Amino acid sequence: MAFQRRRYNYYNRLRRLLPLICAFSGALLILFALLSIFSPPPDDSDRRISKQINYGADDEKHVTVVFRVPTSGGRSDRNIWRSWNAEFFHGCCNASTKFPHAKAITRNDRYLAIATSGGLNQQRTGIVDAVVAARILNATLVIPKLDQKSYWKDASDFSHIFQVDWFISFLSKDVKIIEQLPPKGGRTWSPSRMRVPRKCNEKCYINRVLPVLQKRHAVQLNKFDYRLSNKLRDDLQKLRCRVNYHALKFTDPILKMGNELVRRMRLRSKHYIALHLRFEPDMLAFSGCYYGGGDKEKKELRSIRRRWKTLHVNNPEKQRRQGRCPLTPEEVGLMLRALGYGSDVHIYVASGEVYGGEESLAPLKALFPHFYSKDTIATKEELEPFSSYSSRMAALDFLVCDESDVFVTNNNGNMARILAGRRRYFGHKPTIRPNAKKLYKLFLSKENTTWEEFASRVRTFQKGFMGEPKEVRAGRGEFHENPSTCICNNTDAKAKEGNMDSRKIGKKNKVTNDEHKEDEDAEWSSDYEEDQTDLQDRGLYNGTRLDYEDMSSSDEPELEEMLSD
């Protein structure tokens, strides 16, 4: 009986508590419902993207993945402002004792003139190679003529961009250089004009140009860009480096303004990134890529492509898969954040008109609010002496990019290649080139992954594309981009680190060269040659012209010139 009474009391108390439990549970449910209704959506400033992933048609499980871009660069296993092991290498381009003085080999009856082609940096490659060509031919070089008739319509001559006296005096031991042809019989001397094939080697110049030079005594090589082989003997390669990295100095007004722009960037931050964005309408039209702008974008870019009859229609998807499309400004920003650069980093942008204007730049500026260009850190009055001349404006950008702590290029044009080589020569300053072929798929699927996984894969894909020592094997790629002959080991630095475990030296480079040798390095080295072949197939490059006529005029603007820088 006692047991039954206790059981009765227990159930009686339970019946009294049951309404209270139900009321409390109901209140909790109502509270959760109110929170779900009135809670704010994901904060746009954190750039969250939520997406459900279905793991099979018959599986009802759904997982929500949040792609949240942090404002900081996070912890990095490397110094983001310098290259690994850079102290063990330095630029070296002194002539060997077996390289005769110019006075001993120069023939007084041979004069070589050249007419460059394209924008500032494409013309720079022609000037560098012209000095070497004159040395091969034992000829006196006439100060090169800059291109004033191409798309750029820039009336500047050599003396407006570069210091003539310094150029002549610095190279006096290598090549005799004069400002203009001497008169012949009291009259102005008009040289014979011809072209040489692209990538013409030493033997090619001896066989093709020297006979004409011996007969006519003065020859002008037209459209002179990439007309010298990428592979030459070491003494000639070192001469290339002496011209490119020491003899070509910008004029004082350009240097003064350029250095002032650098100073103003340094006042804002100890470090800064220079970004060569290359997202102009003409660049996108040429690439044949599509960026999701609908019929409006397709119509606008198609109308630009019609200017060049030789351009055929590309498959946009194929272009992206092959890494031939520039990254969007947002994609560049995501790549940099994944590589460890936070929102406090200052960015200088060297770019023309950006396709889509502020709308295209908005995501990049949201990621990196400290966003500058020469137009924002200098007044119109300060830029007025340069603003009417595309080459002088390009020279200002060149200087700011060259002095930056990190240089990022969004394509592999002439400015990108020359600056990459120059930064290797002067201490392997970090130079980032997007591995667009690999990043393309990653950007497509970013909404289906976490930020941590995305950032990890970006860092993996970018190995071999960061401008570090030994990143690319000697002799691979374009010489202006990879001047391996002019990069020497710094034995003094290695001696100071004598107790250092030798396995540490080049540890990261070993990963790049060994594990990625068959992949990233192959992509790097083949890009330029593929682009050249592709352009030749489309009729955009001049190809091989061996006639002696002046072929410099054309009714159709040359896209290679417009896109060269």
Side-chain angles (χ1 to χ4, degrees):
M1 287 293 292
F3 173 73
Q4 290 180 348
R5 276 199 305 272
R6 285 197 299 271
R7 188 169 62 178
Y8 174 80
N9 292 335
Y10 172 77
Y11 283 121
N12 192 37
R13 286 196 299 270
L14 186 62
R15 283 197 300 271
R16 287 198 298 269
L17 288 173
L18 191 61
L20 293 175
I21 294 172
C22 292
F24 181 74
S25 300
L28 284 177
L29 289 173
I30 293 172
L31 179 63
F32 287 142
L34 291 173
L35 285 174
S36 64
I37 293 172
F38 294 107
S39 62
D43 187 0
D44 288 340
S45 66
D46 287 338
R47 301 184 57 78
R48 296 174 184 164
I49 302 171
S50 298
K51 184 161 182 171
Q52 289 186 327
I53 307 173
N54 194 334
Y55 288 96
D58 298 326
D59 192 347
E60 295 183 357
K61 290 184 179 180
H62 290 76
V63 178
T64 300
V65 177
V66 179
F67 184 80
R68 178 178 177 178
V69 182
T71 56
S72 70
R75 296 183 63 181
S76 178
D77 59 351
R78 66 182 185 90
N79 185 339
I80 61 175
W81 299 112
R82 66 186 302 275
S83 296
W84 184 269
N85 285 337
E87 68 271 21
F88 296 111
F89 302 91
H90 68 278
C92 55
C93 65
N94 290 336
S96 71
T97 55
K98 298 180 180 180
F99 198 66
H101 195 287
K103 290 181 179 179
I105 63 162
T106 304
R107 298 290 299 268
N108 293 328
D109 59 346
R110 297 179 190 174
Y111 296 94
L112 179 68
I114 69 157
T116 60
S117 175
L120 173 65
N121 295 290
Q122 185 172 331
Q123 293 184 85
R124 188 184 185 111
T125 64
I127 295 167
V128 170
D129 290 348
V131 174
V132 180
R135 174 76 191 202
I136 291 171
L137 297 167
N138 296 336
T140 297
L141 178 68
V142 182
I143 287 289
K145 295 180 181 179
L146 299 191
D147 187 354
Q148 300 178 343
K149 299 180 181 179
S150 69
Y151 169 87
W152 303 101
K153 298 293 188 293
D154 189 326
S156 302
D157 60 32
F158 191 98
S159 63
H160 292 128
I161 309 295
F162 302 108
Q163 297 180 25
V164 175
D165 291 340
W166 172 261
F167 183 74
I168 293 173
S169 63
F170 187 89
L171 295 170
S172 60
K173 295 180 180 179
D174 301 309
V175 173
K176 182 181 178 182
I177 304 175
I178 58 177
E179 294 193 42
Q180 57 186 11
L181 280 171
K184 184 179 181 182
R187 298 180 180 180
T188 302
W189 198 348
S190 181
S192 299
R193 302 183 180 190
M194 61 180 292
R195 284 196 202 178
V196 292
R198 287 187 180 272
K199 305 297 181 181
C200 191
N201 60 23
E202 194 172 353
K203 184 178 179 181
C204 169
Y205 276 88
I206 297 298
N207 291 338
R208 295 178 183 272
V209 182
L210 185 58
V212 182
L213 195 58
Q214 289 173 327
K215 181 179 180 181
R216 307 287 181 88
H217 305 295
V219 169
Q220 177 173 305
L221 303 179
N222 288 328
K223 292 287 183 181
F224 198 81
D225 58 334
Y226 294 101
R227 304 290 169 173
L228 184 62
S229 174
N230 197 43
K231 297 180 180 180
L232 300 171
R233 52 190 168 94
D234 286 357
D235 268 332
L236 294 179
Q237 297 287 51
K238 286 181 179 290
L239 176 55
R240 263 178 164 162
C241 294
R242 290 197 292 280
V243 181
N244 200 2
Y245 306 135
H246 299 283
L248 283 175
K249 278 189 177 181
F250 290 120
T251 57
D252 287 339
I254 292 174
L255 283 175
K256 183 178 179 181
M257 189 68 239
N259 291 335
E260 178 61 20
L261 294 175
V262 172
R263 188 187 71 84
R264 293 176 188 180
M265 287 300 297
R266 294 287 181 208
L267 285 175
R268 288 167 169 80
S269 178
K270 181 180 178 181
H271 302 290
Y272 74 90
I273 292 174
L275 169 60
H276 192 212
L277 194 54
R278 290 318 309 266
F279 204 70
E280 295 92 342
D282 296 318
M283 183 69 189
L284 302 188
F286 164 71
S287 70
C289 302
Y290 174 67
Y291 292 93
D295 292 337
K296 180 176 181 292
E297 176 188 321
K298 292 177 181 177
K299 183 178 179 181
E300 290 173 348
L301 298 185
R302 191 184 301 122
S303 66
I304 296 174
R305 287 175 68 82
R306 288 199 188 102
R307 301 180 198 171
W308 298 277
K309 300 174 184 178
T310 50
L311 276 180
H312 62 260
V313 177
N314 288 329
N315 181 332
E317 180 67 20
K318 182 179 179 182
Q319 292 293 98
R320 283 281 263 180
R321 284 199 311 269
Q322 293 179 345
R324 295 178 179 273
C325 298
L327 302 188
T328 67
E330 180 180 21
E331 289 169 345
V332 172
L334 290 173
M335 177 191 71
L336 289 176
R337 183 61 46 81
L339 291 173
Y341 301 97
S343 60
D344 59 334
V345 169
H346 289 59
I347 291 185
Y348 176 91
V349 176
S351 176
E353 174 195 357
V354 174
Y355 181 71
E358 285 300 315
E359 184 178 351
S360 292
L361 288 174
L364 177 58
K365 289 184 175 181
L367 287 165
F368 295 95
H370 304 289
F371 190 90
Y372 309 97
S373 68
K374 57 180 174 291
D375 298 307
T376 63
I377 60 176
T379 65
K380 287 185 178 180
E381 290 74 22
E382 289 174 315
L383 294 176
E384 195 275 331
F386 313 95
S387 56
S388 298
Y389 306 93
S390 60
S391 290
R392 300 179 211 186
M393 292 289 273
L396 296 179
D397 277 339
F398 186 96
L399 286 168
V400 183
C401 290
D402 186 35
E403 290 296 323
S404 66
D405 299 279
V406 175
F407 174 59
V408 182
T409 171
N410 197 23
N411 83 319
N412 206 30
N414 290 295
M415 179 173 171
R417 286 196 292 270
I418 289 176
L419 274 171
R422 183 178 179 86
R423 291 170 69 86
R424 281 189 170 94
Y425 181 84
F426 288 107
H428 282 91
K429 293 187 287 184
T431 302
I432 301 173
R433 186 168 72 90
N435 184 355
K437 190 179 293 187
K438 292 292 183 66
L439 293 178
Y440 160 65
K441 293 181 180 178
L442 187 57
F443 286 127
L444 279 183
S445 61
K446 71 178 186 296
E447 297 179 5
N448 299 338
T449 186
T450 63
W451 170 256
E452 290 72 20
E453 183 182 352
F454 173 85
S456 176
R457 295 182 69 187
V458 168
R459 291 192 293 270
T460 298
F461 292 158
Q462 282 301 122
K463 288 178 180 178
F465 290 76
M466 303 294 287
E468 294 186 342
K470 302 293 185 181
E471 195 175 70
V472 184
R473 294 194 299 277
R476 301 296 294 273
E478 181 66 31
F479 183 78
H480 296 295
E481 185 173 11
N482 182 32
S484 54
T485 308
C486 304
I487 307 293
C488 298
N489 292 331
N490 191 341
T491 54
D492 291 338
K494 286 189 176 183
K496 292 178 183 178
E497 298 290 333
N499 295 326
M500 183 180 185
D501 185 350
S502 60
R503 289 174 298 177
K504 289 184 179 179
I505 301 176
K507 181 179 179 182
K508 289 196 173 183
N509 296 326
K510 187 178 188 300
V511 173
T512 300
N513 287 333
D514 293 344
E515 293 182 8
H516 302 272
K517 181 163 60 178
E518 301 298 330
D519 191 358
E520 277 83 354
D521 186 45
E523 290 177 26
W524 189 98
S525 61
S526 63
D527 281 349
Y528 176 75
E529 297 297 339
E530 289 176 3
D531 290 344
Q532 293 279 60
T533 302
D534 189 41
L535 286 172
Q536 287 177 350
D537 290 344
R538 299 181 188 194
L540 295 175
Y541 269 78
N542 300 317
T544 301
R545 299 301 298 261
L546 300 178
D547 54 287
Y548 300 145
E549 300 175 22
D550 181 7
M551 307 296 292
S552 59
S553 60
S554 172
D555 294 332
E556 183 177 341
E558 297 201 36
L559 193 54
E560 59 164 316
E561 296 168 351
M562 189 183 69
L563 299 170
S564 64
D565 291 346

